[in-house]
Amino acid sequence: MEQAVIIAGGKGSRLSSRLKGNPKPLVDFNGKPLLYHQLKMLGSFGFNNILILAGHKSDKIHDYVKSNKNFGLNIKILSEKRPLGTGGAILAAYKYLKKTFLVVYGDTIFDIDLRRFLKFHKGSKKDISLFVHPNDHPYDSDIIETDNKNNVIA
């Protein structure tokens, strides 16, 4: 798999005090924008083809990526004209998607062995694999329920 899709459309209402007028993927994380860390991580695992689905203040994402010479990656940015949500943004980008692709949220920092995850996905022979974690705040998070074989049931 060589394509990663970064969902970067939200306004960042809960982060607004830290955003300083920027979209969520450009929030400072350890001295660099979060998007910097994501692109470096994805690139280190061989994801050379990056599709960024941008929404709120997408021009700033365009400017940041361009000013960094696309980080040496093949990056395409699609800007929403109106908020579409995760599923809507992916459907709108359908013609740009490879058969298999990884989706990450533009406001999430991760340190994951993506080779291991991809090996798991290929071995599962499923259409979709999710990498999720438990949390203690389901009131403001997406949640899933699984059966005893880790299949999503709700």
Side-chain angles (χ1 to χ4, degrees):
M1 181 185 319
E2 66 176 48
Q3 186 181 41
V5 178
I6 299 175
I7 305 292
K11 286 186 177 182
S13 303
R14 290 175 291 188
L15 276 177
S16 62
S17 64
R18 300 224 27 233
L19 291 175
K20 300 177 183 160
N22 288 313
K24 285 192 293 184
L26 298 183
V27 68
D28 182 273
F29 182 81
N30 230 11
K32 301 266 189 193
L34 181 57
L35 184 59
Y36 167 88
H37 298 285
Q38 290 183 321
L39 293 171
K40 289 295 183 183
M41 172 69 76
L42 292 168
S44 74
F45 280 98
F47 288 90
N48 300 317
N49 184 344
I50 311 290
L51 179 60
I52 300 175
L53 306 180
H56 183 67
K57 298 191 179 186
S58 63
D59 56 318
K60 291 191 175 208
I61 293 172
H62 279 272
D63 293 345
Y64 177 70
V65 169
K66 186 178 177 182
S67 71
N68 285 280
K69 298 180 173 63
N70 282 12
F71 296 87
L73 303 169
N74 177 22
I75 299 176
K76 179 167 188 62
I77 302 171
L78 300 178
S79 298
E80 296 177 330
K81 300 213 183 325
R82 60 181 175 79
L84 300 172
T86 300
I90 291 172
L91 284 174
Y94 183 79
K95 70 180 181 180
Y96 300 101
L97 298 173
K98 304 285 185 190
K99 181 179 181 198
T100 303
F101 56 93
L102 174 75
V103 175
V104 297
Y105 288 99
D107 60 355
T108 305
I109 192 70
F110 54 90
D111 184 10
I112 301 166
D113 182 344
L114 292 174
R115 283 184 195 94
R116 184 175 168 205
F117 180 66
L118 294 174
K119 183 178 177 183
F120 166 82
H121 172 70
K122 289 176 183 176
S124 75
K125 298 190 177 9
K126 303 281 185 183
D127 292 329
I128 298 171
S129 294
L130 301 174
F131 194 100
V132 298
H133 65 90
N135 77 53
D136 59 0
H137 52 91
Y139 54 86
D140 69 349
S141 300
D142 294 329
I143 59 172
I144 65 165
E145 291 180 39
T146 59
D147 64 18
N148 61 357
K149 294 181 181 176
N150 289 325
N151 293 306
V152 175
I153 57 174

